Amino acid sequence: MFDWNDLKYLLAVARHGSTLAAARALDVNQSTVQRHVAELEAQLSLRFFERLPAGYKLTETGQAVLGAAENVAAAIADLERAFHDVSRPSILRLTCPEPIAIRLARSGLLERFHGANPGIRLEFVLADRYVDLSKGEADVALRSGDTVADLVGRKVADSIWAVYASRAYVEQHGAPASVEELPHHPLIGFDKSVIGHRLSIWLDRVAPGARYAALGSSVLGLVSAAKAGVGVAALPVALGGSEPDLVRLFGPVRDLTRAWRLLAHRDARRQPRVKAFFDFVASERAALKPILTG
């Protein structure tokens, strides 16, 4: 038998043609390389190199075993990576709207998940668009609204919307009491980058030709504009109801109500880290509901 570690010295000399160059590549002393190569040859009673003035040249024996030695070295590298991978936490990437990520981070739920699953670390994937689970851009998603065929999951809460304005706005301009009065007030809505959102479709239908005081590309932008008092906005109750400067004018708006779902791609659903998060959400559904629904 021999020391497997000696193989890396044999391969380094074979690749670089001298013990000096091999030593530089391995960041060790030249004498260390020479000693390990000599020990390997002595242990196996084989001669792998010819020592020439211009450097080290593989013998026929060395050439015969070189391919097998490279395979062993590659297998050892794969084993080292496997040991490294199992020793570090598994990453679970969760995508959700930014306001929900903020509320989750403040709720204590993430700490409970990590406490129950110390081998898994949850990371947020935040974007202004729907992150594509089928392309592996995230592992799981919390979403309201329509879904696509290759995603599977479960309903965890309702996404409820109502109409809000700031207290200052109501004092100065009054408040719409119903959907029919919305066209008489400056509105806050999404810009063209979010034109397909159900809020944009609803406003186009119930308030065609209305004047818009502010357009944004995110729900947080709508909240900020409403708090600034520039107009009237339909907002998720979970966000609007938590703002003391905002007044709920009417709602819920049934046409804007959707289900919050926890989703994963069907090919990823049985992965241990994904299953662990689904099980955790099922057990914490009561605590999750006010975060999502308000």
Side-chain angles (χ1 to χ4, degrees), residues 10-26:
L10 182 152
L11 291 171
V13 175
R15 289 167 184 160
H16 298 283
S18 73
T19 55
L20 179 59
R24 290 172 179 163
L26 296 173

Side-chain angles (χ1 to χ4, degrees), residues 43-123:
Q43 289 169 350
L44 297 175
S45 300
L46 297 172
R47 190 177 181 193
F48 299 118
F49 296 101
E50 292 182 30
R51 279 71 168 172
L52 304 174
Y56 277 51
K57 180 182 178 182
L58 281 169
T59 63
E60 289 185 4
T61 299
Q63 292 174 352
V65 303
L66 182 61
E70 288 175 337
N71 291 338
V72 171
I76 292 173
D78 288 342
L79 184 61
E80 289 175 343
R81 283 191 292 270
F83 285 149
H84 179 263
D85 289 343
V86 300
S87 66
R88 67 180 181 178
S90 177
I91 305 300
L92 179 77
R93 296 163 301 159
L94 167 65
T95 181
C96 63
E98 183 179 352
I100 298 303
I102 294 171
R103 292 168 68 84
L104 281 172
R106 294 172 177 172
S107 69
L109 277 171
L110 302 186
E111 287 78 3
R112 292 207 290 277
F113 174 73
H114 289 142
N117 301 274
I120 304 174
R121 188 173 79 243
L122 189 144
E123 292 181 353

Side-chain angles (χ1 to χ4, degrees), residues 42-278:
Q43 289 169 350
L44 297 175
S45 300
L46 297 172
R47 190 177 181 193
F48 299 118
F49 296 101
E50 292 182 30
R51 279 71 168 172
L52 304 174
Y56 277 51
K57 180 182 178 182
L58 281 169
T59 63
E60 289 185 4
T61 299
Q63 292 174 352
V65 303
L66 182 61
E70 288 175 337
N71 291 338
V72 171
I76 292 173
D78 288 342
L79 184 61
E80 289 175 343
R81 283 191 292 270
F83 285 149
H84 179 263
D85 289 343
V86 300
S87 66
R88 67 180 181 178
S90 177
I91 305 300
L92 179 77
R93 296 163 301 159
L94 167 65
T95 181
C96 63
E98 183 179 352
I100 298 303
I102 294 171
R103 292 168 68 84
L104 281 172
R106 294 172 177 172
S107 69
L109 277 171
L110 302 186
E111 287 78 3
R112 292 207 290 277
F113 174 73
H114 289 142
N117 301 274
I120 304 174
R121 188 173 79 243
L122 189 144
E123 292 181 353
F124 285 113
V125 179
L126 305 178
D128 292 334
R129 59 179 175 82
Y130 267 4
V131 170
D132 195 336
L133 300 187
S134 65
K135 294 182 179 178
E137 294 178 349
D139 300 306
V140 292
L142 275 171
R143 286 181 184 162
S144 63
D146 299 328
T147 185
V148 293
D150 59 351
L151 300 185
V152 295
R154 61 163 63 107
K155 177 181 175 179
V156 292
D158 287 313
S159 175
I160 298 174
W161 291 56
V163 176
Y164 294 85
S166 71
R167 297 183 185 280
Y169 178 90
V170 173
E171 290 174 1
Q172 294 179 13
H173 307 287
S178 66
V179 172
E180 290 72 21
E181 295 181 19
L182 283 179
H184 305 300
H185 291 264
L187 303 181
I188 299 167
F190 287 131
D191 61 27
K192 292 183 178 180
S193 67
V194 204
I195 195 169
H197 194 281
R198 61 184 179 277
L199 173 62
S200 301
I201 297 171
W202 178 72
L203 287 175
D204 286 344
R205 180 168 58 82
V206 301
R211 179 172 69 88
Y212 282 82
L215 295 172
S217 61
S218 69
V219 175
L220 285 180
L222 306 188
V223 174
S224 296
K227 289 170 63 177
V230 300
V232 175
L235 301 171
V237 171
L239 300 184
S242 65
E243 295 289 345
D245 294 336
L246 296 183
V247 178
R248 181 165 166 173
L249 307 180
F250 63 87
V253 178
R254 185 175 60 182
D255 289 345
L256 297 179
T257 299
R258 295 292 188 277
W260 275 108
R261 293 184 178 90
L262 177 63
L263 299 168
H265 190 271
R266 63 177 70 256
D267 294 339
R269 176 63 180 86
R270 295 186 182 277
Q271 293 177 0
R273 66 184 187 278
V274 173
K275 183 179 184 303
F277 191 69
F278 267 70

Side-chain angles (χ1 to χ4, degrees), residues 25-56:
L26 296 173
D27 195 24
V28 296
N29 295 325
Q30 183 181 14
S31 60
T32 300
V33 176
Q34 292 171 335
R35 184 180 75 253
H36 280 278
V37 171
E39 288 176 352
L40 182 61
E41 290 180 324
Q43 289 169 350
L44 297 175
S45 300
L46 297 172
R47 190 177 181 193
F48 299 118
F49 296 101
E50 292 182 30
R51 279 71 168 172
L52 304 174
Y56 277 51

